[in-house]
Amino acid sequence: MMAVQPLNQPAEIPPELDRWNWGAFFLNWIWGIGNSTFIALLMFVPLVNIVMLFVLGAKGSRWAWQNVSWRDAEHFRRVQRNWTIAGLSLFVVSLVSIAAVALVVPRMMKNSDAYRLTMETVRADDRVKAALGEDIDAGYWVLGSVQVVGDGSGDAQLSVPVHGSHGWGWVMSHAVRSAGKWNLRLLVVMAGGAPIVLVDEDHIGSPGAATKI
């Protein structure tokens, strides 16, 4: 019976090469296919993939050494270094993209007519000024969505952090665009006590709300 020869000599990875593998960590299943380490495909299994991410980082170098034929240790180092550079590059690009979206989206919402109508109505209300102060301003992280279609109609739902000299709160609004004009359907300010309902055209109501007379 013929003995099975290991792919590399020695069969066990040399200690100086058995290190955390950032290429396997960042590129996981892609790295796995490229290094004949198909256990990395477990990244497609929900929940298991969270654990597998760290298993690949810890054992990736060992598995790659065993599953691929390498000319020598330097060849192994060079290839895994390239995987690390590619993984880190992708990670950095992803972070930059996420940061760009996080910075751009709130600004886009603040440039919308629906947002301006919301904040003008909030700043003009005496009850809101009594709760928050005269100098009402909005925080940066505006959440929600603003949609406009070609026929001039649209829909906007916004959640805006606000603050003034007396405190802080949240503004929640729903506006509808018709014939090129935005109209508020619902506008509520949460400012410490009972919610202040400024607009409730759809008669949604709110238990304990201080409705406008």
Side-chain angles (χ1 to χ4, degrees):
M1 186 174 181
M2 184 178 293
V4 178
Q5 296 297 320
L7 292 176
N8 302 293
Q9 294 292 343
E12 290 296 323
I13 185 171
E16 66 273 15
L17 301 181
D18 191 10
R19 299 177 177 179
W20 180 270
N21 194 310
W22 286 109
F25 179 82
F26 285 121
L27 295 175
N28 43 81
W29 66 270
I30 300 174
W31 174 94
I33 293 175
N35 288 271
S36 300
T37 305
F38 300 108
I39 193 174
L41 296 178
L42 288 174
M43 287 298 301
F44 291 104
V45 180
L47 299 181
V48 174
N49 54 9
I50 299 174
V51 177
M52 198 62 199
L53 194 66
F54 295 94
V55 172
L56 285 170
K59 295 188 176 182
S61 294
R62 190 178 310 168
W63 287 337
W65 177 263
Q66 294 171 348
N67 295 334
V68 180
S69 293
W70 307 99
R71 290 192 298 271
D72 50 34
E74 184 55 34
H75 179 214
F76 177 85
R77 285 193 188 95
R78 184 170 63 254
V79 172
Q80 295 308 313
R81 188 184 303 119
N82 290 340
W83 278 106
T84 295
I85 293 172
L88 285 172
S89 299
L90 181 62
F91 178 69
V92 171
V93 169
S94 300
L95 284 182
V96 171
S97 300
I98 292 171
V101 171
L103 292 173
V104 170
V105 170
R107 289 186 180 182
M108 292 177 60
M109 290 191 181
K110 286 188 173 182
N111 287 330
S112 69
D113 291 333
Y115 171 83
R116 283 191 283 268
L117 176 61
T118 294
M119 292 307 300
E120 287 172 1
T121 306
V122 167
R123 291 187 176 111
D125 191 272
D126 291 335
R127 293 161 304 152
V128 179
K129 288 189 283 188
L132 298 178
E134 295 283 342
D135 53 340
I136 299 171
D137 199 4
Y140 184 81
W141 299 106
V142 178
L143 305 176
S145 63
V146 178
Q147 300 176 345
V148 178
V149 295
D151 62 358
S153 62
D155 187 270
Q157 298 187 45
L158 300 172
S159 178
V160 185
V162 291
H163 57 85
S165 57
H166 296 171
W168 63 274
W170 281 90
V171 173
M172 289 162 284
S173 73
H174 177 212
V176 174
R177 192 173 191 260
S178 179
K181 181 180 179 181
W182 285 99
N183 294 286
L184 287 168
R185 304 299 301 176
L186 179 67
L187 180 57
V188 180
V189 178
M190 306 293 295
I196 304 171
V197 181
L198 282 66
V199 179
D200 188 8
E201 294 295 331
D202 297 323
H203 307 292
I204 295 176
S206 179
T211 55
K212 187 173 183 177
I213 299 175

